[in-house]
Amino acid sequence: MKQIMHGECLLFFAGSLRQLLINTIREVRMHFMTEKEVFVRRTSGLIRNLNAWDVLWFNILWMAPTAITVYGIWAQQLFPGVDLPMTAVISIFISIIIGLFYAMFSGAMPRSGGDYVWVSRVLHPILGFMGIFFLFVAILGIAGSYVPWFTQWGIAPILRFTGNDAAAAFISDVNFNFVLAIIIYILFAALISRGAKITMIFLSILGVIIVISWVAFVGTLLTTPLDVFKANFNTYSGMNYDQVIAHAQSLGLPTGAVASATVLGVALTYLNFTGFNSSVYMAGEIKDIQKNQVIGIIGAILLFGLIDWLVYYASYVGMGESFIIAIANLAGKGDPMYTLPFPPFLHFLFQYSTRNPVIFGLECFGWSMMTIGAILTYVFFGVRVIFATSFDRILPSALSRVDDRYNSPYAALIFTVVVAIIMQVLWSYTPLLAYFVYLMLGWMIFQGLASIAGIIFPYTHKDIFETSPAVSRKKIGSVPVLSILGVASLILSIWIAYASIAPAYVGTANPVYVAFVFVLFGIGAVIYLASWAYHRSKGIPLDLVFKQLPPE
Amino acid sequence: MPKLRIFYTSDLHGSERCYRKLINAARVYKTNVLVVGGDLTGKRIVPIIRQADKTYKMRFLGEDFLLKNESELEKAKKQIKSVGYYAHIADESEIRILREDDKKLQETFAETMKETITNWVKFAEEKLKGSGVKVYMMPGNDDDYSIDPLLEGHDVIVNPNEKVVTVNDHEMLSLGYANMTPWQCPRDISEEELGSKIEALTSKIGRMDRAVFNTHVPPYKTTIDLAPELDEKFRPKAAGGGGVVMGNVGSTAVRKAIEEYQPLLGLHGHIHDSKGMCQIGRTLCLNPGSEYVDGILRGVILDIDGSQVRDYLFTSG
């Protein structure tokens, strides 16, 4: 019954959203139709490079669908009884609001692109740099964790499944992971150096592999009877399916969905959605931006949301909801009954749905490709940040040097890769990156600043707002939709920021780790102020970069 | 303080808002020298149809507007000008003629452009009179020759095109021409002609180590001359994966001159999305790009001291 409800809900939602998307695209089309309704003389023109497809895949791979199978289990451990498919549906709604806000803002200031510029221009440059500096460090910190995910949670399971335990252990070794990370970063640097378009083509190829692997995962789970899963689990895991559920029940764990757990668990699923708007950072390279940004952002939310929902729904059908709740919590509590040699992530448990090494291998390979895609988008983002801030002279101008042959920002690329490798060292050999546990707090603070910028932008920058495309300057009554969405985005940002440090989510919040988030913002401020003082001593104040010139 | 601070911008393409920001930039950026590197005039006319009941209708940025009175009409005209379009008010019948008669349309364009440039010059002369500010404003390859006389003989506005003018103790060579583009714009000329014009001007420069080359078109094969390659129908050439093929479209003649003479500075525009800097030998070449459609004035502030560029900053005002 509940499964039917999920399906109807999604269909209704998809229908409404489709209409919204059609209306939006129609408006955007009208904007371009005006080209035929004005008189045009023969002059030079220009076209940009990236299309909606590129934008969509960039956003999806940033969102790292990899983590769906991991986050679902973590959500069950933190909030036993969370209705995972429902959290996917709710997260789509939340993301659509913030996504539309970002797409509309990007449409209003298309070439400038990105919350760094919006916050810098509308609020203050120091706030923009603090936010983007935080994101730069945080994102490269996350990238550091993804190489071990790639080997230990992506490739090693295939090796173990096929009986190559020694090889699985070898590639899980910390030193192997470190060397592999350096090789990956260098290869990605070479790829990015060939230009944005080549990078996007590579990401699209990864995207196709990932989709195929998800089709294998979902298709198998939906077509394999639950009894087969039970039988395989009982045969190969060394545990018993029914006993797992019974034991969990005896510990007081629920066997089905719990509404309160679902409400709280949404925060965790939403964390997996973050990044759907990351294409705003490359707005200057997107052609027909008003159209492609909307399609790329909203499309990414819908597609990712669909994958998210399907993965959870299929897992419930193919493995059993009560079993997933039970095994996640037995593992989380370190219960002696849990004897699996790996965490109960959904893509690991998938091996009990099929004993076919090709299908299981395909699923794990696709999973590992998602970590690769996410790392690439993070490095790509890092390069763009360094390049842009160097152009604005906050960082030394040497970092904006571009190679003549391939037009690649090689200095920013080298710098970013060096930082990524430092992060990898910290991740591999020190516990320092534990300080990044609250990075979502910092991310949401920056998103909140961007929301405030969006709320006041139509009023403080009336001239730009009033000449932006129709889709960006829509009003409800006399209030700009951008401002309304900005308010909604601000509220959601505050809620997610709170949820990310709330006791229910992380246990007892560590004040030192929370403070670290603010320290990172502070370091950004110090860098900005140092650069500001340096340029002032040389003659040109840095705050002139975005200084608003009166248009009268 | 440096000996000379310049604010350089280019490709305003008729944007009233950008132009007014430019005039105010002298005060905000604390400079007495504003340089506009060409392409002053707009590309599009928005017809505003005068109706029998004394209302007006128009379609602008994807929306239909009914303008009920003169006040609404003025507001609409202001908005149209701000994005670099020209407003043209006419009866339905005249609009129909413009659609069918290209000669008449070109005449209308010329008149509208001249009227705008006249107003711009007047605005600058009034606003900056007695301030000591000079605005070096030259036409670019997109600009019709009919606007040239309008830029001559003023106190504040100086047309440096095809001249070497002295700005403080720096000589500035200026050329608004471009090498041939697919659109065959009014001032598109061959590389040979471009080379000859540059050569003729360089002979007038005394100290090349302090000289500024203000050429609308950037030097060839740099990071500031990248644009999509086009086919014979002006469509971008498709690349694999849905992208377009990008190519260098700058001038070989400009590059050759910079390589040979090594001036202090190269100031360039023309390619709006190719904002950036590059170094050719000792010469720093800059292209601030253009965001005129969004009413944002892109430019670059330069502090120059003798034969050194002490500092520069791209701005987005």
Side-chain angles (χ1 to χ4, degrees), chain A residues 307-360:
Chain A
I307 293 171
D308 203 28
W309 181 83
L310 274 174
V311 167
Y312 289 147
Y313 174 73
S315 298
Y316 275 22
V317 171
M319 300 176 192
E321 182 179 3
S322 53
F323 172 76
I324 290 171
I325 296 169
I327 199 159
N329 283 282
L330 293 187
K333 292 175 191 300
D335 192 284
M337 182 180 267
Y338 186 85
T339 55
L340 293 177
F342 45 76
F345 298 144
L346 296 173
H347 70 286
F348 289 171
L349 296 176
F350 179 63
Q351 63 189 280
Y352 304 117
S353 279
T354 177
R355 300 307 293 169
N356 183 330
V358 174
I359 294 176
F360 181 68

Side-chain angles (χ1 to χ4, degrees), chain B residues 162-173:
Chain B
E162 288 200 75
K163 295 172 197 153
V164 173
V165 296
T166 302
V167 183
N168 288 21
D169 55 351
H170 296 268
E171 291 153 302
M172 183 167 77
L173 172 161

Side-chain angles (χ1 to χ4, degrees), chain B residues 114 117-118 121 139 144-154 157 159 161 163 187:
Chain B
K114 283 199 292 191
I117 295 296
T118 303
V121 169
D144 194 83
Y145 285 95
S146 62
I147 67 165
D148 290 30
L150 305 173
L151 298 171
E152 303 293 345
H154 306 288
I157 299 283
N159 178 5
N161 190 32
K163 295 172 197 153
R187 288 174 216 251

Side-chain angles (χ1 to χ4, degrees), chain A residues 400-415:
Chain A
S400 60
R401 284 188 189 143
V402 178
D403 171 64
D404 276 348
R405 191 168 170 201
Y406 294 114
N407 302 307
S408 66
Y410 70 91
L413 193 50
I414 292 168
F415 181 82

Side-chain angles (χ1 to χ4, degrees), chain A residues 30 34-35 37 39 41-44 47 111-112 121 197 393 407 463 473 535 538-539 545 550 552, chain B residues 5 17 24 41-45 59 61-63 142 183 226 228 241 273 290-291 310-312 316:
Chain A
M30 278 162 61
T34 57
E35 296 296 313
E37 292 159 14
F39 297 116
R41 72 189 180 97
R42 181 172 263 216
T43 53
S44 46
I47 300 290
R111 292 183 195 219
S112 312
R121 189 189 284 275
K197 193 68 208 173
R393 307 304 297 277
N407 302 307
D463 52 337
R473 62 188 150 87
H535 283 283
K538 283 189 77 178
V545 172
E552 298 304 329
Chain B
R5 174 172 287 183
R17 177 170 294 129
N24 287 315
T41 51
K43 304 177 176 193
R44 293 173 177 83
I45 288 177
R59 187 162 177 76
L61 296 179
E63 273 186 292
D142 274 352
W183 296 272
L226 276 171
D273 272 0
S290 174
E291 258 180 294
R310 275 179 50 173
D311 202 6
Y312 69 89
S316 183

